[in-house]
């Protein structure tokens, strides 16, 4: 139990942002699966399994201090590729809906699962990118010689 506490206490802000991106990825793949059930012609399984592999890789790489900085990069790359495959799978849906032009009626015809899936894929990719630039591990406070000398005086 103590090792679990030290594990989570050692994690920096970037880890928690990446964990939020992982949750957004799970939501996006669930919503996309709902869209795929509604419109099987525009469904591909790749945008579902890529984020799962990314999340599992993120969790595996986050365990060790040496690989923790690369964990969000791995997850972000796979999430971003999943988002691109999602766009490739559903772009014909947009051409079908907007064939007669873009107006309020055609916008109302858009599937809510399609819109929500796209939004969650973009949010997970953005959060994953932000997590890359943040610290994955907390910085340890190391006393330097000058601090020790000042304390002695």
């Amino acid at each position: 139990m103590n090792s679990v506490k030290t594990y989570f206490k050692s994690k920096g802000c970037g880890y928690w942002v990446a964990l939020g991106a992982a949750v957004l990825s799970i939501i996006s793949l669930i919503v996309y699966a709902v869209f795929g059930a509604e419109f099987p012609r525009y469904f591909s399984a790749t945008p579902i399994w890529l984020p799962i592999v990314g999340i599992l890789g993120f969790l595996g790489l986050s365990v060790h201090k040496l690989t923790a900085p690369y964990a969000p990069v791995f997850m972000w790359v796979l999430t971003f590729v999943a988002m691109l495959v999602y766009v490739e799978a559903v772009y014909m849906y947009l051409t079908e809906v907007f064939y007669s032009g873009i107006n309020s009626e055609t916008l109302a015809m858009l599937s809510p699962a399609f819109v929500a899936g796209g939004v969650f894929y973009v949010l997970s990719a953005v959060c994953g990118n932000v997590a890359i630039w943040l610290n994955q591990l907390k910085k340890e406070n190391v006393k330097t010689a000058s601090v020790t000398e000042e304390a002695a005086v």
Side-chain angles (χ1 to χ4, degrees), residues 90-106:
V90 300
Y91 80 95
M92 287 302 291
Y93 171 73
L94 289 175
T95 60
E96 186 178 295
V97 171
F98 295 129
Y99 183 73
S100 62
I102 299 175
N103 55 36
S104 61
E105 292 172 2
T106 55

Side-chain angles (χ1 to χ4, degrees), residues 10 46 56 59-60 91 111 125:
S10 70
T46 307
L56 293 175
L59 293 174
Y91 80 95
S111 167

Side-chain angles (χ1 to χ4, degrees), residues 16-135:
W16 300 106
V17 172
L19 210 56
V23 170
L24 289 172
S25 291
I26 291 170
I27 293 171
S28 64
L29 64 93
I30 290 170
V31 170
Y32 178 60
V34 169
F35 173 78
E38 190 177 347
F39 298 99
R41 250 176 38 186
Y42 308 110
F43 181 76
S44 170
T46 307
I48 289 181
W49 65 262
L50 275 177
I52 292 172
V53 171
I55 292 167
L56 293 175
F58 166 73
L59 293 174
L61 291 170
S62 294
V63 173
H64 303 288
K65 287 185 179 182
L66 293 174
T67 58
Y70 306 107
V73 176
F74 181 79
M75 185 176 69
W76 176 77
V77 166
L78 291 180
T79 302
F80 186 71
V81 170
M83 182 184 70
L84 294 177
V85 173
Y86 168 79
V87 169
E88 190 270 333
V90 300
Y91 80 95
M92 287 302 291
Y93 171 73
L94 289 175
T95 60
E96 186 178 295
V97 171
F98 295 129
Y99 183 73
S100 62
I102 299 175
N103 55 36
S104 61
E105 292 172 2
T106 55
L107 288 174
M109 289 174 46
L110 282 176
S111 167
F114 166 77
V115 175
V119 167
F120 281 114
Y121 272 115
V122 169
L123 285 175
S124 64
V126 168
C127 287
N129 194 314
V130 169
I132 291 172
W133 302 103
L134 298 173
N135 288 332

